[in-house]
Amino acid sequence: MIAQVETKTYTAEEYLELEINSHDRHEFINGEIVLMAGGTPDHNEITSILNAILRVSLKGKPYSIFASDQRLWVPQLNNYTYPDVMVVARPIELQSGRTDTITNPLLIAEVLSKGTKAYDRDEKFAAYRSIPSFQEYLLIDQYRLQVEQYSKTEANKWIFSEYSCMGDRLSLTSVAVEISLADLYENIELGE
């Protein structure tokens, strides 16, 4: 007979208190606190490159760009997550009573890891879609040349585009930025 291990369910308030005092980052999903794994060098390189492209392209425009350490609240599900890259229209909207948790992302990008790619495509994307301001989602594969783009056209309608050639150029729909895959994958050793 295998003993069942009980998983403690936390409130959002308990999570936020623990997160403030933690050296590690955690996501909060349906009352469960989940430790975020560290990224690979390629994961961090792609995140850094995308952040730099967005920062330069949107300089002087009414947007803020965040990478990895900015917490996002998904109000309808009461989830907290740390997207790899977020573009937020200014003024930034914060969760009521908080100074550290954003609620109005326009664009979110996740760099896919082997352990999280199914979650990023399915449950996490579904959660993000419940945020009214959210308009565009990028899933960037760190192991092979592939970017998936989901662009909102109207309520409950999204267009899917896929890019998998070094010469491809990705035109964002939420902000006026074009990204070359050659730039995004610069110095990345692709395995496939």
Side-chain angles (χ1 to χ4, degrees), residues 45 133 173 188:
E45 183 87 11
S133 63
T173 59
I188 303 299

Side-chain angles (χ1 to χ4, degrees), residues 29-189:
I29 305 161
N30 299 323
E32 184 181 348
I33 296 175
V34 180
L35 177 64
M36 294 184 64
T40 65
D42 285 345
H43 182 284
N44 289 317
E45 183 87 11
I46 292 168
T47 299
S48 179
I49 290 168
L50 179 58
N51 185 52
I53 290 168
L54 290 168
R55 185 145 312 278
V56 169
S57 299
L58 296 174
K59 183 177 178 163
K61 297 193 170 107
Y63 302 102
S64 293
I65 298 100
F66 299 98
S68 299
D69 288 329
Q70 181 57 60
R71 186 170 45 241
L72 169 67
W73 181 45
V74 182
Q76 283 190 359
L77 302 174
N78 199 26
N79 287 359
Y80 293 88
T81 184
Y82 292 87
D84 289 325
V85 177
M86 273 191 296
V87 175
V88 178
R90 283 185 280 207
I92 294 170
E93 295 174 17
L94 298 171
Q95 181 183 9
S96 180
R98 307 286 317 167
T99 60
D100 56 0
T101 308
I102 287 176
T103 63
N104 66 319
L106 185 61
L107 176 142
I108 296 175
E110 297 286 4
V111 178
L112 300 176
S113 300
K114 288 182 177 157
T116 64
K117 66 182 173 181
Y119 171 64
D120 287 342
R121 278 193 182 103
D122 187 25
E123 294 165 51
K124 192 179 260 189
F125 185 29
Y128 290 159
R129 288 193 313 264
S130 73
I131 301 170
S133 63
F134 180 55
Q135 299 293 311
E136 190 165 17
Y137 194 41
L138 299 179
L139 294 172
I140 304 165
D141 198 310
Q142 68 174 303
Y143 307 106
R144 62 188 176 119
L145 188 66
Q146 182 177 355
V147 177
E148 298 172 22
Q149 176 187 31
Y150 297 87
S151 304
K152 187 174 184 178
T153 59
E154 58 185 272
N156 302 316
K157 291 191 179 182
W158 293 78
I159 292 176
F160 169 73
S161 302
E162 186 173 24
Y163 305 88
S164 57
C165 295
M166 201 57 86
D168 286 348
R169 299 187 68 77
L170 162 68
S171 292
L172 299 178
T173 59
S174 58
V175 290
V177 175
E178 189 173 279
I179 300 168
S180 157
L181 263 63
D183 290 341
L184 186 60
Y185 283 92
E186 183 181 12
N187 298 324
I188 303 299
E189 298 277 335

